[in-house]
């Protein structure tokens, strides 16, 4: 091919190939699959505010609450969105739990993890007037009473799974009383309808006059409860931490994932977000890229591994 013909061919090829649009082109929808006011929603809104305040993206971010069916309504909305980065999802391990016990037809593999944001590790709480003075007391009662011992929780939830891991590790089974979130678990404890519950860190202070902490279900003791051991210290390889992550539809380009992750990470590290995270009893737990994908794979497998015990103890 002569030089003029070659040049003409290149020009025609370039004209036939549409230019790649620069991301983002339009406002980004951040789906929160729970009602307004909860932990997931409040973190999403502080991230949204920080992104806009600090001009971390050239377009607005709109938080959209799509509550219902344990987070599955909002998750499905994200799942079916165009994989262009303009619709993303923030959710904790509720995505893992509904998938592991077969409530939905999708799994974490059907999304692209964008960034891991925060972690909040629970603690085992009993009413202040409880007969149980220690975790050993509680687990001895589990051996003696079996299903007569009652834990306030949400059936099949992200906290039911570590509870099932504890049952498995101690070769015991107790009853899960279907209460719902942490405020309802507190009400169940205070009303005498259940014996113990997993509660989030803020309830150390909120329930100080009504609760007794027996163990921390995280990797380290709470600074506010220096004398309360972790479950791992007591010989139980169990953690119950709610980890909030951001997700995009499957096949979202890696370059788009990186733009989103950069903006969210910067927002999470802003002074206003740091203050919110600390006040919420959470901690920054950023993971990205291959490290994040490995963490998701390992954790989801742990949910699959204990799913049979969750089903077994879902009958109330």
């Amino acid at each position: 091919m002569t030089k003029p013909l070659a040049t003409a061919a290149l020009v025609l090829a370039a004209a036939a190939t549409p230019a790649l649009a620069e991301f983002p082109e339009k406002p980004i929808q951040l789906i929160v699959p729970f009602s307004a006011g909860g932990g997931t929603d409040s973190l999403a809104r502080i991230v949204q505010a920080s992104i806009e305040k600090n001009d971390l993206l050239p377009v607005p971010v709109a938080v959209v609450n799509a509550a219902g069916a344990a987070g599955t309504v909002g998750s499905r909305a994200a799942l079916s969105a165009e994989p262009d980065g303009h619709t993303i999802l923030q959710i904790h391990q509720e995505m893992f739990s509904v998938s592991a016990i077969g409530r939905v037809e999708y799994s974490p593999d059907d999304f692209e993890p964008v960034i891991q944001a925060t972690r909040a590790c629970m603690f085992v709480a009993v009413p202040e007037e409880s007969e149980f003075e220690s975790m050993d007391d509680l687990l001895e009662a589990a051996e003696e009473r079996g299903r007569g011992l009652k834990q306030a929780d949400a059936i099949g939830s992200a906290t039911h799974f570590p509870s099932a891991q504890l049952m498995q590790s101690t070769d015991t089974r107790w009853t899960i009383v279907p209460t719902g979130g942490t405020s309802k678990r507190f009400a169940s404890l205070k009303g005498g309808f259940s014996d113990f519950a997993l509660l989030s860190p803020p309830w150390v202070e909120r329930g100080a006059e009504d609760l007794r902490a027996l163990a921390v279900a995280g990797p380290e003791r709470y600074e506010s409860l220096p004398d309360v051991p972790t479950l791992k210290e007591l010989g139980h390889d169990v953690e119950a931490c709610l980890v909030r992550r951001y997700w995009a539809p499957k096949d979202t380009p890696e370059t788009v994932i990186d733009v989103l992750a950069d903006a969210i990470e910067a927002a999470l590290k802003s002074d206003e977000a740091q203050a919110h995270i600390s006040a919420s009893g959470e901690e920054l737990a950023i993971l990205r890229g291959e490290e994040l994908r490995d963490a998701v794979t390992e954790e989801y497998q742990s949910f699959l591994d204990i799913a049979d015990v969750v089903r077994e103890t879902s009958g109330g």
Side-chain angles (χ1 to χ4, degrees):
M1 184 181 291
T2 64
K3 187 173 181 180
L5 286 175
T7 302
L10 289 173
V11 170
L12 287 172
T17 304
L20 289 175
E22 190 169 330
F23 175 80
E25 300 177 82
K26 57 186 179 181
I28 293 169
Q29 277 196 107
L30 170 51
I31 295 177
V32 172
F34 305 111
S35 300
T40 300
D41 178 72
S42 59
L43 179 65
R45 292 184 185 279
I46 200 72
V47 166
Q48 171 204 38
S50 180
I51 286 174
E52 296 190 2
K53 175 184 176 182
N54 298 295
D55 294 321
L56 299 175
L57 287 170
V59 298
V61 176
V63 175
V64 178
N65 293 96
T72 64
V73 172
S75 296
R76 282 199 174 94
L79 183 68
S80 62
E82 288 294 321
D84 58 9
H86 292 99
T87 300
I88 58 176
L89 171 73
Q90 187 210 303
I91 191 172
H92 49 57
Q93 297 100 316
E94 204 70 13
M95 177 194 286
F96 297 0
S97 62
V98 294
S99 175
I101 57 176
R103 287 184 178 175
V104 295
E105 72 288 352
Y106 59 82
S107 78
D109 291 339
D110 295 306
F111 295 84
E112 301 288 352
V114 175
I115 187 170
Q116 178 174 298
T118 62
R119 177 176 66 179
C121 296
M122 318 289 276
F123 68 101
V124 182
V126 296
E128 179 58 42
E129 65 275 10
S130 172
E131 65 189 282
F132 307 127
E133 298 287 341
S134 69
M135 198 68 202
D136 284 343
D137 290 345
L138 180 65
L139 293 177
E140 285 175 14
E143 291 181 5
E144 295 169 1
R145 303 179 194 176
R147 297 298 183 118
L149 188 70
K150 298 178 181 178
Q151 176 186 351
D153 205 340
I155 295 290
S157 68
T159 48
H160 189 167
F161 279 75
S163 299
Q165 289 174 336
L166 186 57
M167 294 182 203
Q168 187 85 322
S169 72
T170 56
D171 194 25
T172 56
R173 298 290 186 273
W174 52 76
T175 294
I176 302 293
V177 178
T179 53
T182 49
S183 61
K184 294 179 180 178
R185 295 175 206 175
F186 173 75
S188 180
L189 291 177
K190 192 171 180 181
F193 302 109
S194 53
D195 299 301
F196 72 104
L198 285 170
L199 297 180
S200 55
W203 286 94
V204 171
E205 293 185 8
R206 292 177 193 169
E209 296 181 359
D210 302 292
L211 300 174
R212 181 186 309 133
L214 301 186
V216 173
E220 299 174 351
R221 297 187 182 198
Y222 289 168
E223 287 186 10
S224 56
L225 296 173
D227 297 326
V228 178
T230 66
L231 288 174
K232 289 192 174 183
E233 286 179 78
L234 298 173
H236 310 291
D237 189 18
V238 176
E239 286 188 7
C241 303
L242 288 182
V243 181
R244 305 192 196 281
R245 299 181 174 108
Y246 289 76
W247 304 81
K250 189 71 173 175
D251 297 324
T252 299
E254 194 66 32
T255 53
V256 171
I257 296 288
D258 288 341
V259 170
L260 291 167
D262 285 345
I264 295 168
E265 180 171 358
L268 289 166
K269 291 180 176 178
S270 67
D271 289 343
E272 56 268 31
Q274 287 290 288
H276 170 83
I277 290 166
S278 178
S280 300
E282 303 192 17
E283 60 183 356
L284 207 59
I286 290 175
L287 289 179
R288 294 176 56 172
E290 197 63 33
E291 190 177 10
L292 172 57
R293 286 189 285 271
D294 289 345
V296 165
T297 298
E298 181 179 353
E299 188 172 12
Y300 181 55
Q301 186 59 52
S302 74
F303 274 61
L304 292 172
D305 290 343
I306 203 66
D308 285 345
V309 177
V310 171
R311 293 188 192 96
E312 178 189 340
T313 54
S314 292

